[in-house]
Amino acid sequence: MTKNTFENLPDEKRQRVLDEATTEFAEHGYHQASINRIVERLGIAKGSLFKYFGNKQGLFEHIFSRAVSDFKKPLKAIRDTPGLGFFERIEQSFLAGTRFVDAHPNLYRIYLKMLFNENFPLRERFLGEIRGAHAKYLRQLIEGGVRDGQLPAALDVEMAVFTLHAVMDRFLQGYAVPSLDNGLAPAASLPEQARALAAFLRHGLADIPTQE
């Protein structure tokens, strides 16, 4: 009933509530986020927000659920696009992640706070959901690559999922917080970096790729 009340609001008002709440969590973290500040900026009664979401946790859970859904949409499009090779899908996945960071900088700031703050409420649950969704996506790509003969049949799928997730997660962290990569990241455009990473994953450390 609470969800229906919020979803029945006009689109513009609903989006404004989510934007203000997301900004509050991004700037102050979960514990210091203030419902009072949110409703003051929105110009609505505090009781309205509680009617929509129940409490602060309910509000955060709604934001988080929407964020995961928004993150998954472009990945599903990459997965379902016919004619792409495995490493082309990986390259496009890198770029889709950066577009998400650009479109939703405050959502990604919340993710970073959750990632590096052990006291973030329900941290394990939320991170587990994010990682589970990403692992499922990567597993589907990898299994498709094996079926298509682009990856070896004997590949350890779970280790491949772990490696790709780790590389993509760190790639996006460096994109969102460039200081993390000072002295490490090669001087290249974003598409060139994505292409180079996909090529490195294709050939690994021991295999020297031929010049094309």
Side-chain angles (χ1 to χ4, degrees):
M1 220 168 147
T2 297
K3 182 179 179 183
N4 288 340
T5 302
F6 181 68
E7 295 300 333
N8 286 336
L9 292 175
D11 290 348
E12 184 178 348
K13 184 173 183 180
R14 192 169 63 243
Q15 190 59 51
R16 186 159 175 259
V17 170
L18 294 177
D19 288 345
E20 291 292 352
T22 301
T23 298
E24 181 69 17
F25 285 117
E27 291 181 352
H28 300 282
Y30 183 90
H31 288 296
Q32 299 304 317
S34 168
I35 295 296
N36 288 333
R37 281 194 295 261
I38 295 172
V39 298
E40 183 178 351
R41 290 197 297 267
L42 289 169
I44 64 174
K46 191 174 182 178
S48 296
L49 216 58
F50 288 133
K51 184 171 72 170
Y52 300 151
F53 304 106
N55 52 31
K56 184 163 76 172
Q57 181 177 318
L59 172 60
F60 184 83
E61 287 177 339
H62 186 88
I63 290 170
F64 176 83
S65 177
R66 290 284 293 268
V68 172
S69 177
D70 288 345
F71 183 71
K72 288 162 68 173
K73 285 175 186 176
L75 298 183
K76 288 178 179 177
I78 293 169
R79 181 197 65 194
D80 296 338
T81 299
L84 290 180
F86 172 78
F87 290 99
E88 290 176 293
R89 295 185 201 277
I90 293 301
E91 181 181 331
Q92 290 196 16
S93 298
F94 281 122
L95 296 175
T98 63
R99 287 193 292 271
F100 179 86
V101 172
D102 288 340
H104 307 284
N106 282 331
L107 287 175
Y108 196 74
R109 285 175 66 192
I110 292 172
Y111 169 70
L112 292 179
K113 288 181 185 295
M114 188 187 306
L115 191 63
F116 295 113
N117 182 356
E118 293 182 358
N119 294 321
F120 202 101
L122 302 174
R123 176 176 182 262
E124 294 306 315
R125 172 189 152 193
F126 289 134
L127 289 180
E129 187 173 337
I130 295 169
R131 289 167 178 162
H134 196 218
K136 179 180 178 181
Y137 166 73
L138 292 173
R139 193 174 293 109
Q140 290 170 336
L141 294 193
I142 292 164
E143 290 172 348
V146 171
R147 283 195 305 272
D148 294 342
Q150 299 174 58
L151 296 174
L155 180 70
D156 184 333
V157 172
E158 295 310 310
M159 181 57 71
V161 168
F162 173 80
T163 302
L164 286 173
H165 171 75
V167 171
M168 289 186 176
D169 194 31
R170 183 57 181 80
F171 175 75
L172 291 184
Q173 290 177 35
Y175 177 73
V177 188
S179 60
L180 290 175
D181 287 341
N182 280 350
L184 291 174
S189 69
L190 192 59
E192 288 171 338
Q193 288 182 43
R195 193 174 307 116
L197 271 174
F200 184 83
L201 289 165
R202 179 195 294 267
H203 298 289
L205 289 170
D207 183 22
I208 300 175
T210 58
Q211 297 294 323
E212 297 180 358

